[in-house]
Amino acid sequence: KKLEDNALQQPHSTAMGDEEPQTQDMVTEPPEPGAGLDDADEGAQAQKAAMATQNKMNLQTAPIRTYLDSTVVPILLQGLSALVKERPANPVEFLAAYLMQNNPQKA
């Protein structure tokens, strides 16, 4: 019991034995005058490209459900809704054609 109480009072440390740094103790310096982007539009495009790359990486490592919910489910639900309204003779071909025509990733 005393060991448990003592362990609860001890600060947690990393594998190296060092304590984790406190974020409130960190100080950031202000940017130097003239620092920044020369072209704001180029900076916005770069940030957008970086976010797209990050999102793509996140999708690659996402759990299956998250991946499907983010990529396939929205367009699939729209296609199934159209399928129910039309009720075609060949529903698989209809759905395939709908998905191909309405692909949000089409360039």
Side-chain angles (χ1 to χ4, degrees):
K1 174 90 177 156
K2 287 185 180 183
L3 256 180
E4 290 175 8
D5 291 340
N6 193 17
L8 292 175
Q9 293 174 359
Q10 296 287 331
H12 294 290
S13 60
T14 62
M16 301 288 282
D18 300 328
E19 290 186 25
E20 293 181 27
Q22 298 287 330
T23 54
Q24 59 190 342
D25 294 340
M26 299 175 115
V27 178
T28 58
E29 295 180 16
E32 293 183 23
L37 301 170
D38 293 334
D39 184 0
D41 290 336
E42 187 176 323
Q45 289 175 351
Q47 185 171 6
K48 186 176 178 180
M51 290 300 292
T53 300
Q54 183 65 39
N55 288 340
K56 188 175 182 180
M57 288 172 43
N58 288 346
L59 282 177
Q60 295 297 322
T61 60
I64 294 170
R65 177 70 184 248
T66 304
Y67 171 75
L68 291 174
D69 285 345
S70 299
T71 57
V72 177
V73 171
I75 189 66
L76 188 58
L77 289 176
Q78 292 171 11
L80 291 173
S81 180
L83 178 76
V84 169
K85 289 177 187 174
E86 293 284 327
R87 296 192 183 249
N90 192 336
V92 173
E93 281 186 23
F94 177 89
L95 183 59
Y98 182 91
L99 294 174
M100 294 302 290
Q101 291 170 359
N102 296 286
N103 182 0
Q105 296 177 346
K106 192 180 343 179

